[in-house]
Amino acid sequence: MDVIVGGGVVGLSVAWRLAREGRPVTVVDPAPASGASHAAAGMLAPVSEVTYTEAPLLRLGVAALRRWPAFASALAEDAALPPAGPEEVGGLDLRAEGTLDVAFGADDMAALDELAAFMEKLDLPVERLTGRECRRLEPMLAPSVRGGLLAPGDAWVNPRRVTAALLAALERRGVNVVRARVSELVRTDGAVTGVRLAEPPAVPDEGRGSAPLAATGGRAGGEVLAAGRVVLAAGAWSGELAEVPVRPVKGQIMRLRSPQPLLTRCVRGTVHGSPVYLVPRGDGELVVGATQEELGYDTRVTAGGLYELLRDARELVPGVTELEVADVVAGLRPGTPDNLPVIGPGRTPGLTYATGHHRGGVLMAPLTAAILMGEESELAALCSPGRFQEIS
Amino acid sequence: MDVIVGGGVVGLSVAWRLAREGRPVTVVDPAPASGASHAAAGMLAPVSEVTYTEAPLLRLGVAALRRWPAFASALAEDAALPPAGPEEVGGLDLRAEGTLDVAFGADDMAALDELAAFMEKLDLPVERLTGRECRRLEPMLAPSVRGGLLAPGDAWVNPRRVTAALLAALERRGVNVVRARVSELVRTDGAVTGVRLAEPPAVPDEGRGSAPLAATGGRAGGEVLAAGRVVLAAGAWSGELAEVPVRPVKGQIMRLRSPQPLLTRCVRGTVHGSPVYLVPRGDGELVVGATQEELGYDTRVTAGGLYELLRDARELVPGVTELEVADVVAGLRPGTPDNLPVIGPGRTPGLTYATGHHRGGVLMAPLTAAILMGEESELAALCSPGRFQEIS
C-alpha cells in the first residue's frame, strides 16, 4: 500500500495515477484541495513563467505542459465530467490561447527583448509585439502598454475544478481519502513504514491557515497507517514531517466576476517592480495574482496584499475597476532553494518526495506523477532529492 | 396597530420606542438589519460630518448625538445585554473619544480653517491642531499629515450591535417582526390603511442587493396587514412604495482586523479628493469607509471601490497595510435632494415617513423616534415631508 501524505493537486494526481495502474493507494489530508491548490491561478505557462537564468525549470515546465491535454482528457473521462466544448476540456476549463507578457517602461522592454532572445535560442515559439499589436489582441489593455511578448503555446486551467475532478475520480476507483493530519512518519530500522495520524486538535490548528480543523474521519487519533511506501506531497508543510528544504511562500490572490470576458488570454506584466497576472476563466471569472511574501505560515488576507493586487491589475487593465470582487484567498507555495521541485526517493527507504513545486504545482502535477512512475528519467535527475545534502 | 415598513436601525428604533410606550406595533422586513445599517460605520459625528453650508443638518446632528447616551443605556437594559466597561455602553461599543479630521495639502488646511471658524461661531467645541499635535494624539498617522481639527465631542457606535440589541429588545417585548417584503401600501378612500405582503419571489430579488431572499415567514404572499398608521422606514427603497424623493447612494466599506488598536479615535481626511474615515472598534476591528456612488440599486463590492478605500486608508495611516481584511460589504444610503431626512406625516392620512437619512441613519435613529413621538417640534419642522412638492 502506498500512502500519499497531502491531498493537493500533486498528491491527488500521484494517487490517481497509481490507482489507474491498479496499485493500492490511500491519501491522507485533513482538508483535501484546500491549500495552495485552492489559491492557485492555474497558469500552465512554462514559457512566460521563467526568467532567462532558469533553463532547467523551463525544460521541466515545457515537458509538464505537454502532458496536460492527455491528462485532462483522461481525468475528465475518469471523473465522469459532463462533456464540454473544444476549448474547455471536460469542464476543467483547460484553455491554450497563450500568455501575453506586457511591458510599460524601457527597463521592462529590455527585459522582454532578453527573454525573447533566450526563448528563440531554445527554439521556443514566442512573438515580440508592439504596444499597438498587444492592444489589437487584447483591447482592454492600458494605453500605456509599450510592447509585449506572446507565448502562444502557454495554457491555463481551473485548479479548483481539477482537484474536484481528481477527488471524484479517486472516489469512483474506490481510493480511500483519510481526512486526518499526519503527525509523524513512522520509522522501523531506519526505514519509513507508515504514518501516524494526529489526535484531533483541541483548539484551531493555526499552522494550517485556511484549512478547516483537522478531522480524523472517524479514526482514533494516534492510529498508524502502515505503508509499503510513503509519498510526501504535503506542499509547504513537507518540512514538518521530513528533512526537506521547503519553505512557505505566501501568495494572495483575488477572483473578480465579469459579465463579459475582459480578456481572451492570460496577461502578465511588471508594475511598480512587482509581477502581476490576470487569468480569464470560461465562466467570466478573472483571477488576479499574486503576491509573493516570505512570512512563514501566515495565510491572512491583508489590506496591503489586496491593495497591491488591485493597484497593479488596474495599471494593466483599467477596466477591472468595474468588476465585482468574488473571492480573495491566501495560500502557501512550497518554495525550494533552487526553485525546482523535489521528486523521487531520498536516502531513507520507504520515503518518496513529491513536493517543492513552488509556483508550478498545477503545471507539474501530471509530470510529477509520470516521474514517479519512472517515465522521465532525464527530467527526474533535475528534481532528484539527492541534490540537497540535508535531505533524509 | 402601527406597521413599520423597514427593519433597519431607524425602523427598529421607532418600533422599540413605540413598544416602550405600550403601543401595538409590527415591523415588516424580509431581512431585518441587513441593509444600510449592516454596512454603516456608526460614526456619531455631527461636527466633523458637515460642511459649513449645512447648518440645519448640523443642528439636527448635534441634537441627535445628545440623545445617544440615554438611548444606548436604555437599549442595553431593555435588550438585557451583559454589562460592559464605562467606555462601551452595554456592549454596543458606544465610544466618545472624538473625531480627528486631518489635512495633507494647503487646500485641505484652508478647508479645515473655514470649518473651524464656522464651528466656533456656533459655539461648538473644536480644536485646531498642528501635524505634530495630530501625531501626538494618534501616533500611527502618516508623517505627511500637516494639521487637523479635533471634534472632541463626536462619538461612534457599532451599528450591528445596535440593530441586534433592538431586535432582542423587541422580541422581549413581544413585538412581531414579519420577515416579508411589502409589495404595496393599501389605500382606502385616499388613506393608507395597511400594507400588502409580496408573494415570495420565484427568482432572486436583484434589487435588494445583499439582503437575502424575501421570505414571508409562513404568511401567504399577497396577505394584507391592516394598520392604523404605516411608518415608511424602508431606507433607499422607500421611493418604491410612496412618492418620496429618496435615491440610493451606494457605499462600500471594509473591516480590518488589528491585533493591537491602531487608533484611539475616529480619523478622517480627504485623500485624492475623496473623503475617507477610519473607525476603531473595541474588539480591534478597524472600519474603513466609504465610497459614495450613484449607481442605482447596485450593491456589488467592486475592485475599484476596494482599491480606493485601501489607497486612501494607507495614505492616512500607513500601518493598515499589515492588517487582515475581515469583511467588505456595500450598502445603499437613502439620499434626499437637500441631505436632510424626511420625518413625519405627509399629505396622505395614515402614512408617516421616517426615511432619507443618507449618511446619518445610525446617528439620527433615536432622534427620529423622538420626533415621531412629538418631542422635538422645532427640529421636526426641518425634516417635514411637506417641504417636498412631490410627496404624497
Side-chain angles (χ1 to χ4, degrees), chain A residues 254 256-257 300-307 310-311 314 320-325, chain B residues 254 256-257 300-307 310-311 314 320-325:
Chain A
M254 187 168 44
L256 305 177
R257 207 172 280 140
R300 298 174 311 137
V301 170
T302 63
L306 259 189
Y307 171 73
L310 290 163
R311 178 195 62 188
R314 281 174 84 246
V320 299
T321 51
E322 303 305 321
L323 304 190
E324 184 172 6
V325 177
Chain B
M254 186 168 45
L256 304 177
R257 208 171 281 141
R300 298 174 311 136
V301 170
T302 62
L306 259 189
Y307 172 73
L310 290 164
R311 178 195 61 189
R314 280 174 85 246
V320 298
T321 52
E322 302 305 321
L323 304 189
E324 184 172 5
V325 178

CSV table of all heavy atoms in Angstrom, one decimal, chain A residues 254 256-257 300-307 310-311 314 320-325, chain B residues 254 256-257 300-307 310-311 314 320-325:
chain,number,residue,atom,x,y,z
A,254,MET,N,-6.9,37.1,-6.0
A,254,MET,CA,-8.3,37.6,-6.0
A,254,MET,C,-9.0,37.1,-7.2
A,254,MET,O,-8.5,37.0,-8.3
A,254,MET,CB,-8.1,39.2,-6.0
A,254,MET,CG,-9.4,39.9,-5.9
A,254,MET,SD,-9.0,41.7,-5.6
A,254,MET,CE,-7.8,41.9,-6.9
A,256,LEU,N,-12.2,38.1,-9.6
A,256,LEU,CA,-13.2,39.1,-10.0
A,256,LEU,C,-14.3,38.5,-10.9
A,256,LEU,O,-14.0,37.5,-11.5
A,256,LEU,CB,-12.5,40.3,-10.7
A,256,LEU,CG,-11.4,40.9,-10.0
A,256,LEU,CD1,-10.7,42.0,-10.8
A,256,LEU,CD2,-11.9,41.5,-8.7
A,257,ARG,N,-15.4,39.1,-10.9
A,257,ARG,CA,-16.5,38.5,-11.7
A,257,ARG,C,-16.9,39.5,-12.8
A,257,ARG,O,-17.1,40.7,-12.5
A,257,ARG,CB,-17.8,38.3,-10.8
A,257,ARG,CG,-18.7,37.2,-11.3
A,257,ARG,CD,-19.7,36.9,-10.2
A,257,ARG,NE,-19.3,36.0,-9.1
A,257,ARG,CZ,-19.6,36.2,-7.9
A,257,ARG,NH1,-20.4,37.2,-7.5
A,257,ARG,NH2,-19.1,35.4,-6.9
A,300,ARG,N,-3.2,35.1,6.3
A,300,ARG,CA,-4.2,36.1,6.4
A,300,ARG,C,-4.2,36.9,5.0
A,300,ARG,O,-3.2,37.2,4.4
A,300,ARG,CB,-3.8,37.1,7.5
A,300,ARG,CG,-3.7,36.5,8.9
A,300,ARG,CD,-3.1,37.6,9.8
A,300,ARG,NE,-1.9,38.2,9.3
A,300,ARG,CZ,-1.6,39.5,9.3
A,300,ARG,NH1,-2.4,40.3,9.9
A,300,ARG,NH2,-0.5,39.9,8.8
A,301,VAL,N,-5.4,37.3,4.6
A,301,VAL,CA,-5.6,38.2,3.5
A,301,VAL,C,-5.4,39.6,4.1
A,301,VAL,O,-6.1,40.0,5.1
A,301,VAL,CB,-7.0,38.1,2.9
A,301,VAL,CG1,-7.3,39.2,1.9
A,301,VAL,CG2,-7.1,36.8,2.2
A,302,THR,N,-4.5,40.4,3.6
A,302,THR,CA,-4.1,41.7,4.2
A,302,THR,C,-4.5,42.8,3.3
A,302,THR,O,-4.6,42.7,2.1
A,302,THR,CB,-2.6,41.8,4.6
A,302,THR,OG1,-1.9,41.7,3.3
A,302,THR,CG2,-2.2,40.7,5.5
A,303,ALA,N,-4.7,44.0,4.0
A,303,ALA,CA,-5.0,45.2,3.3
A,303,ALA,C,-3.9,45.5,2.3
A,303,ALA,O,-4.2,45.9,1.1
A,303,ALA,CB,-5.2,46.4,4.3
A,304,GLY,N,-2.7,45.3,2.7
A,304,GLY,CA,-1.5,45.7,1.8
A,304,GLY,C,-1.5,44.7,0.6
A,304,GLY,O,-1.2,45.2,-0.5
A,305,GLY,N,-1.8,43.4,0.8
A,305,GLY,CA,-1.7,42.5,-0.3
A,305,GLY,C,-2.8,42.8,-1.3
A,305,GLY,O,-2.6,42.9,-2.5
A,306,LEU,N,-4.0,43.0,-0.8
A,306,LEU,CA,-5.1,43.4,-1.7
A,306,LEU,C,-4.9,44.7,-2.5
A,306,LEU,O,-5.2,44.8,-3.6
A,306,LEU,CB,-6.4,43.6,-0.8
A,306,LEU,CG,-7.4,42.5,-0.8
A,306,LEU,CD1,-8.7,43.0,-0.1
A,306,LEU,CD2,-7.7,42.1,-2.2
A,307,TYR,N,-4.3,45.6,-1.7
A,307,TYR,CA,-4.0,46.9,-2.4
A,307,TYR,C,-3.1,46.7,-3.6
A,307,TYR,O,-3.3,47.3,-4.7
A,307,TYR,CB,-3.4,47.9,-1.4
A,307,TYR,CG,-2.9,49.1,-2.0
A,307,TYR,CD1,-3.8,50.1,-2.5
A,307,TYR,CD2,-1.5,49.4,-2.1
A,307,TYR,CE1,-3.3,51.3,-3.1
A,307,TYR,CE2,-1.1,50.5,-2.8
A,307,TYR,CZ,-2.0,51.5,-3.2
A,307,TYR,OH,-1.5,52.6,-3.8
A,310,LEU,N,-4.8,45.1,-6.6
A,310,LEU,CA,-5.8,46.0,-7.2
A,310,LEU,C,-5.0,47.1,-8.0
A,310,LEU,O,-5.4,47.4,-9.1
A,310,LEU,CB,-6.7,46.6,-6.2
A,310,LEU,CG,-7.7,45.6,-5.6
A,310,LEU,CD1,-8.3,46.2,-4.3
A,310,LEU,CD2,-8.8,45.3,-6.6
A,311,ARG,N,-4.0,47.6,-7.4
A,311,ARG,CA,-3.3,48.7,-8.0
A,311,ARG,C,-2.6,48.2,-9.3
A,311,ARG,O,-2.7,48.8,-10.4
A,311,ARG,CB,-2.2,49.2,-7.0
A,311,ARG,CG,-1.3,50.3,-7.6
A,311,ARG,CD,0.0,50.4,-6.7
A,311,ARG,NE,0.8,49.2,-6.7
A,311,ARG,CZ,1.8,48.9,-6.0
A,311,ARG,NH1,2.2,49.8,-5.1
A,311,ARG,NH2,2.5,47.8,-6.1
A,314,ARG,N,-5.2,47.2,-12.1
A,314,ARG,CA,-5.7,48.5,-12.7
A,314,ARG,C,-4.8,49.0,-13.7
A,314,ARG,O,-5.1,49.6,-14.8
A,314,ARG,CB,-6.0,49.5,-11.7
A,314,ARG,CG,-7.3,49.4,-10.9
A,314,ARG,CD,-7.3,50.4,-9.8
A,314,ARG,NE,-7.9,51.7,-10.2
A,314,ARG,CZ,-7.2,52.8,-10.3
A,314,ARG,NH1,-5.9,52.8,-10.0
A,314,ARG,NH2,-7.8,53.9,-10.7
A,320,VAL,N,-10.8,46.7,-15.0
A,320,VAL,CA,-11.1,45.8,-13.9
A,320,VAL,C,-11.8,46.5,-12.7
A,320,VAL,O,-12.4,45.9,-11.9
A,320,VAL,CB,-9.8,45.1,-13.3
A,320,VAL,CG1,-9.1,44.2,-14.3
A,320,VAL,CG2,-8.8,46.1,-12.7
A,321,THR,N,-11.6,47.9,-12.7
A,321,THR,CA,-12.2,48.6,-11.5
A,321,THR,C,-13.7,48.4,-11.5
A,321,THR,O,-14.3,48.4,-10.4
A,321,THR,CB,-12.0,50.1,-11.6
A,321,THR,OG1,-12.3,50.6,-12.9
A,321,THR,CG2,-10.5,50.4,-11.4
A,322,GLU,N,-14.4,48.1,-12.6
A,322,GLU,CA,-15.8,48.0,-12.6
A,322,GLU,C,-16.3,46.6,-12.2
A,322,GLU,O,-17.5,46.3,-12.1
A,322,GLU,CB,-16.4,48.2,-14.1
A,322,GLU,CG,-16.0,49.6,-14.6
A,322,GLU,CD,-16.5,50.7,-13.7
A,322,GLU,OE1,-17.6,50.6,-13.1
A,322,GLU,OE2,-15.7,51.7,-13.5
A,323,LEU,N,-15.3,45.6,-12.1
A,323,LEU,CA,-15.7,44.2,-11.8
A,323,LEU,C,-16.0,44.0,-10.3
A,323,LEU,O,-15.4,44.6,-9.4
A,323,LEU,CB,-14.6,43.3,-12.3
A,323,LEU,CG,-14.2,43.4,-13.7
A,323,LEU,CD1,-13.3,42.2,-14.1
A,323,LEU,CD2,-15.4,43.4,-14.7
A,324,GLU,N,-16.9,43.0,-10.1
A,324,GLU,CA,-17.2,42.6,-8.7
A,324,GLU,C,-16.1,41.8,-8.1
A,324,GLU,O,-15.5,40.9,-8.8
A,324,GLU,CB,-18.5,41.8,-8.8
A,324,GLU,CG,-19.0,41.5,-7.4
A,324,GLU,CD,-20.4,40.9,-7.4
A,324,GLU,OE1,-20.9,40.6,-8.5
A,324,GLU,OE2,-21.0,40.6,-6.3
A,325,VAL,N,-15.8,42.0,-6.9
A,325,VAL,CA,-14.9,41.1,-6.2
A,325,VAL,C,-15.6,39.9,-5.7
A,325,VAL,O,-16.5,40.0,-4.8
A,325,VAL,CB,-14.2,41.9,-5.0
A,325,VAL,CG1,-13.2,41.0,-4.2
A,325,VAL,CG2,-13.5,43.1,-5.5
B,254,MET,N,-15.1,48.6,4.4
B,254,MET,CA,-14.3,47.4,4.7
B,254,MET,C,-14.0,47.3,6.2
B,254,MET,O,-13.8,48.4,6.8
B,254,MET,CB,-13.0,47.7,3.9
B,254,MET,CG,-12.0,46.6,3.9
B,254,MET,SD,-10.6,46.9,2.7
B,254,MET,CE,-10.3,48.6,3.1
B,256,LEU,N,-11.2,45.8,8.8
B,256,LEU,CA,-9.9,45.2,9.0
B,256,LEU,C,-9.8,44.7,10.5
B,256,LEU,O,-10.5,45.2,11.3
B,256,LEU,CB,-8.8,46.3,8.8
B,256,LEU,CG,-8.9,46.9,7.4
B,256,LEU,CD1,-7.8,48.0,7.3
B,256,LEU,CD2,-8.7,45.9,6.3
B,257,ARG,N,-8.9,43.7,10.6
B,257,ARG,CA,-8.7,43.2,12.0
B,257,ARG,C,-7.3,43.5,12.5
B,257,ARG,O,-6.4,43.2,11.8
B,257,ARG,CB,-8.9,41.6,11.9
B,257,ARG,CG,-9.4,41.0,13.2
B,257,ARG,CD,-9.8,39.6,13.0
B,257,ARG,NE,-11.1,39.4,12.3
B,257,ARG,CZ,-11.4,38.5,11.4
B,257,ARG,NH1,-10.4,37.6,11.0
B,257,ARG,NH2,-12.6,38.3,10.9
B,300,ARG,N,-22.9,45.6,-5.5
B,300,ARG,CA,-21.7,44.8,-5.7
B,300,ARG,C,-20.5,45.4,-5.0
B,300,ARG,O,-20.3,46.6,-5.1
B,300,ARG,CB,-21.4,44.6,-7.2
B,300,ARG,CG,-22.5,43.9,-8.0
B,300,ARG,CD,-22.1,44.0,-9.5
B,300,ARG,NE,-21.8,45.4,-9.9
B,300,ARG,CZ,-20.7,45.7,-10.7
B,300,ARG,NH1,-20.0,44.7,-11.2
B,300,ARG,NH2,-20.5,47.0,-10.9
B,301,VAL,N,-19.7,44.6,-4.4
B,301,VAL,CA,-18.3,45.1,-4.0
B,301,VAL,C,-17.4,45.0,-5.2
B,301,VAL,O,-17.3,44.0,-5.8
B,301,VAL,CB,-17.8,44.2,-2.9
B,301,VAL,CG1,-16.3,44.5,-2.6
B,301,VAL,CG2,-18.6,44.3,-1.6
B,302,THR,N,-16.9,46.2,-5.6
B,302,THR,CA,-16.1,46.2,-6.8
B,302,THR,C,-14.6,46.4,-6.6
B,302,THR,O,-14.2,46.9,-5.5
B,302,THR,CB,-16.5,47.4,-7.7
B,302,THR,OG1,-16.3,48.6,-7.0
B,302,THR,CG2,-18.0,47.3,-8.1
B,303,ALA,N,-13.8,46.0,-7.6
B,303,ALA,CA,-12.4,46.2,-7.5
B,303,ALA,C,-12.0,47.6,-7.3
B,303,ALA,O,-11.1,48.0,-6.5
B,303,ALA,CB,-11.7,45.6,-8.8
B,304,GLY,N,-12.7,48.5,-8.0
B,304,GLY,CA,-12.4,49.9,-8.0
B,304,GLY,C,-12.7,50.5,-6.6
B,304,GLY,O,-12.0,51.4,-6.1
B,305,GLY,N,-13.9,50.1,-6.0
B,305,GLY,CA,-14.3,50.6,-4.7
B,305,GLY,C,-13.3,50.2,-3.6
B,305,GLY,O,-12.8,51.0,-2.8
B,306,LEU,N,-12.9,48.9,-3.6
B,306,LEU,CA,-11.9,48.4,-2.7
B,306,LEU,C,-10.6,49.1,-2.9
B,306,LEU,O,-9.9,49.4,-1.9
B,306,LEU,CB,-11.7,46.9,-3.0
B,306,LEU,CG,-12.4,45.9,-2.1
B,306,LEU,CD1,-11.8,44.5,-2.4
B,306,LEU,CD2,-12.1,46.3,-0.6
B,307,TYR,N,-10.2,49.3,-4.1
B,307,TYR,CA,-8.9,50.0,-4.4
B,307,TYR,C,-8.9,51.4,-3.8
B,307,TYR,O,-7.9,51.7,-3.1
B,307,TYR,CB,-8.7,50.1,-5.9
B,307,TYR,CG,-7.5,50.9,-6.2
B,307,TYR,CD1,-6.2,50.4,-6.0
B,307,TYR,CD2,-7.6,52.2,-6.8
B,307,TYR,CE1,-5.1,51.2,-6.3
B,307,TYR,CE2,-6.5,53.0,-7.0
B,307,TYR,CZ,-5.3,52.5,-6.8
B,307,TYR,OH,-4.2,53.2,-7.1
B,310,LEU,N,-8.6,51.2,0.1
B,310,LEU,CA,-7.3,50.8,0.5
B,310,LEU,C,-6.2,51.9,0.3
B,310,LEU,O,-5.4,52.2,1.2
B,310,LEU,CB,-6.9,49.5,-0.2
B,310,LEU,CG,-7.7,48.3,0.2
B,310,LEU,CD1,-7.5,47.1,-0.8
B,310,LEU,CD2,-7.2,47.8,1.6
B,311,ARG,N,-6.3,52.5,-0.9
B,311,ARG,CA,-5.3,53.5,-1.2
B,311,ARG,C,-5.4,54.7,-0.2
B,311,ARG,O,-4.4,55.2,0.3
B,311,ARG,CB,-5.6,54.0,-2.7
B,311,ARG,CG,-4.7,55.1,-3.1
B,311,ARG,CD,-5.3,55.8,-4.4
B,311,ARG,NE,-6.6,56.4,-4.0
B,311,ARG,CZ,-7.5,56.9,-5.0
B,311,ARG,NH1,-7.2,56.9,-6.2
B,311,ARG,NH2,-8.6,57.5,-4.6
B,314,ARG,N,-4.4,53.8,3.4
B,314,ARG,CA,-2.9,53.7,3.5
B,314,ARG,C,-2.3,55.1,3.6
B,314,ARG,O,-1.3,55.3,4.3
B,314,ARG,CB,-2.3,53.0,2.3
B,314,ARG,CG,-2.4,51.5,2.3
B,314,ARG,CD,-2.0,51.0,1.0
B,314,ARG,NE,-0.5,50.8,0.9
B,314,ARG,CZ,0.3,51.5,0.1
B,314,ARG,NH1,-0.2,52.5,-0.7
B,314,ARG,NH2,1.6,51.3,0.1
B,320,VAL,N,-2.0,50.4,8.2
B,320,VAL,CA,-3.2,49.5,7.9
B,320,VAL,C,-2.8,48.4,6.9
B,320,VAL,O,-3.4,47.3,6.9
B,320,VAL,CB,-4.4,50.2,7.3
B,320,VAL,CG1,-4.9,51.3,8.2
B,320,VAL,CG2,-4.1,50.9,5.9
B,321,THR,N,-1.7,48.5,6.1
B,321,THR,CA,-1.3,47.5,5.2
B,321,THR,C,-1.1,46.2,5.8
B,321,THR,O,-1.3,45.1,5.2
B,321,THR,CB,-0.1,47.9,4.4
B,321,THR,OG1,1.0,48.2,5.3
B,321,THR,CG2,-0.3,49.0,3.4
B,322,GLU,N,-0.7,46.2,7.1
B,322,GLU,CA,-0.4,44.9,7.8
B,322,GLU,C,-1.6,44.2,8.3
B,322,GLU,O,-1.5,43.1,8.8
B,322,GLU,CB,0.6,45.2,8.9
B,322,GLU,CG,1.9,45.8,8.6
B,322,GLU,CD,2.6,45.0,7.5
B,322,GLU,OE1,2.6,43.8,7.5
B,322,GLU,OE2,3.2,45.7,6.6
B,323,LEU,N,-2.8,44.9,8.3
B,323,LEU,CA,-4.0,44.3,8.9
B,323,LEU,C,-4.7,43.3,8.0
B,323,LEU,O,-4.7,43.4,6.8
B,323,LEU,CB,-4.9,45.4,9.3
B,323,LEU,CG,-4.4,46.5,10.2
B,323,LEU,CD1,-5.5,47.4,10.7
B,323,LEU,CD2,-3.6,45.9,11.4
B,324,GLU,N,-5.3,42.4,8.7
B,324,GLU,CA,-6.1,41.4,7.9
B,324,GLU,C,-7.5,42.0,7.5
B,324,GLU,O,-8.1,42.8,8.2
B,324,GLU,CB,-6.4,40.2,8.9
B,324,GLU,CG,-7.2,39.1,8.2
B,324,GLU,CD,-7.3,37.8,9.1
B,324,GLU,OE1,-6.9,37.9,10.2
B,324,GLU,OE2,-7.8,36.8,8.6
B,325,VAL,N,-7.9,41.6,6.3
B,325,VAL,CA,-9.2,42.1,5.8
B,325,VAL,C,-10.2,41.1,6.3
B,325,VAL,O,-10.2,39.9,6.0
B,325,VAL,CB,-9.2,42.1,4.2
B,325,VAL,CG1,-10.6,42.5,3.7
B,325,VAL,CG2,-8.1,43.0,3.7
